[in-house]
Amino acid sequence: MSKLAEHTDFNAKTIRQDFPILNREVNGKPLIYFDNAATSQTPQQVIDVIVDYYSNYNANIHRGVHSLSQEATDAYEQARIKIQHHFNAKHAHEIIFTAGTTHGINLVANGFSSLLKKGDEIIVSALEHHSNIVPWQMLCERTGARLKVIPMNENGELILSEFDALLNENTKLVFVNHISNALGTINPIAYMIKEAHKVGAAVLVDGAQSCPHIKPDLQALDVDFYVCSAHKMCGPTGVGILYGKEEWLKKLPPYQGGGEMIAEVSFEKTTYADLPHKFEAGTPNIAGGIAFGAAIDYMNSIGFKNIANYENKLLEYATEQLLLIEGLKIYGTAKNKTSVISFNIGNIHPYDIGTILDKMGIAVRTGHHCAQPIMDYYKIPGTIRASFMFYNTIEEIDTFITALKKAVLMLS
Amino acid sequence: MTIQEVQDEIIDEFSMFEDWEERYQYMIDLGKTLPLIDEKYKTEDNIIKGCQSKVWVHADMSNDKINFTADSDAIITKGIIAILIRAFSNQHPKDIIEADTYFIDKIGLKEHLSPTRANGLVSMVKQIKLYAIAYQTQLN
């Protein structure tokens, strides 16, 4: 362990100082935050941007003639450009600000209502979050299209031969998460996009779990739609993006009516604004959008390569240590996975472990992680999920393991 | 004993614990003594689904007093149920309806009975009261 600690600690310890929340105590113990896959923590640099917005240039954006409105508009549109460059979209107007991943998925699902007919097929993966299942079920109910599911194997990997077999000329849409929130599996999206395009289907990738770990090149992937949330990557809650290729976004009808999204309005006819405003009705989360840009700057200043290297070490170390606990079983053992570990210990209920860990200041997630089909597959009520970010440390994992052993002792 | 007397007795027991560990260990041990619901009542109708843990509860009345049996898939939840049932079981429906459950706060269980906790316990307390109302109607 010492060699690993020497190699990795320097960065993480400095980086931790950026996150004020990591200094707090929970139930009298220093907080150990391992619920990053649900919400990541926010560095001071991003908090400052939010405070600066409300302290100095809070105003409604677009069309205001006064200075504050102009400053706010500039900052908001600059954030859009930052996001465009980060994800390597071709145009800034292909980036639509949303309230988050779920909002983006619903926007696309709603848009496809007018593009699908009976007999069309939508493919989703067995690894999906509920938010990536329900909108498609609703879309199928509206249009008569059928929902097909790519099954997974015992390791929590999608069975690609089954995916290949599901693709046909009726396939109109493929939806897959880049990384499973419940198991951490990294899905082979490049392959899936390529194969889906061969039958003319569009692909939406849910990047909610991958955006804090992997910087995707959307043009190289040739993906049609991509959604993610700021709060997964050190940004604020309630803001995210939908990326769509220009030609697709032009094809989709507007999602919500309101201000900002129109060009001209009369009682006879309304013409819609150009992209991206067509999909951004009403006053957006302006501070959130600007802070999302700041979060992307922050993550890039640390560097996604450094993040991946370090988090892999945390994952490896934690996996190794966890497996030493008697009766512990890890769910999701894909070769390609991120720093998410879902597990159970013997017959102990995840809720009991989570409750005891909380008493010791450790935040993990317990339950079905909004992915009941995965839990049904393993025939378990849920799991304990520990998920790490670059500000977590080997020492925290050691404390976590000790706490787990204590919980097991108390609960057996 | 009246519901109030049982509550005071429970508060007394919990006051002896010095830290959370002792308190939780006690609840876990209580969970193992919970008067378990007959398997035949462990139906979909009797299940209270929380996002985190499931709770089953059943009631029957003899000599104008209600007896509760229950179960949960999580042991800490079971322990809390055992405490609740100890206060409410073998009591007259009217007393259950009117009971003020102040002991929950006093023994530090409030966090477990918060509506946002999603462990089924809040609904369980409601269910206990509903059983009492139903049986009270029979008595009237």
Side-chain angles (χ1 to χ4, degrees), chain B residues 9-58:
Chain B
E9 190 184 74
I10 295 169
I11 293 167
D12 221 38
E13 281 171 21
F14 271 78
S15 70
M16 292 183 303
F17 301 131
E18 291 194 344
D19 56 21
W20 72 269
E21 270 182 73
E22 289 181 1
R23 216 166 67 230
Y24 273 72
Q25 197 61 66
Y26 185 61
M27 287 198 291
I28 291 160
D29 294 341
L30 280 179
K32 293 170 187 161
T33 67
L34 175 69
L36 281 186
I37 187 169
D38 193 313
E39 281 298 318
K40 73 177 173 202
Y41 296 124
K42 242 171 142 175
T43 58
E44 276 295 309
D45 283 349
N46 281 334
I47 196 171
I48 299 166
K49 273 188 192 165
C51 201
Q52 295 284 344
S53 58
K54 291 178 193 166
V55 172
W56 291 267
V57 63
H58 175 72

Side-chain angles (χ1 to χ4, degrees), chain A residues 27 29 347-356 358-360 365-368 381 406 409-412, chain B residues 20-25 28-29 32 51-54 73-77 80 111-112 117 119 121:
Chain A
N27 291 319
K29 302 273 162 49
N347 290 323
I348 303 176
H349 198 284
Y351 177 79
D352 290 325
I353 302 248
T355 303
I356 301 286
D358 177 60
K359 285 282 153 202
M360 294 187 263
R365 191 139 289 246
T366 61
H368 52 59
K406 186 169 179 168
L409 208 64
M410 286 180 75
L411 290 162
S412 309
Chain B
W20 72 269
E21 270 182 73
E22 289 181 1
R23 216 166 67 230
Y24 273 72
Q25 197 61 66
I28 291 160
D29 294 341
K32 293 170 187 161
C51 201
Q52 295 284 344
S53 58
K54 291 178 193 166
D73 51 355
I75 188 79
I76 294 175
T77 308
I80 297 164
E111 54 173 318
H112 289 281
R117 190 87 186 187
N119 54 11
L121 283 170

Side-chain angles (χ1 to χ4, degrees), chain A residues 291-305:
Chain A
F292 191 179
I296 281 182
D297 282 344
Y298 180 79
M299 302 243 356
N300 280 313
S301 75
I302 292 169
F304 277 79
K305 263 204 186 120

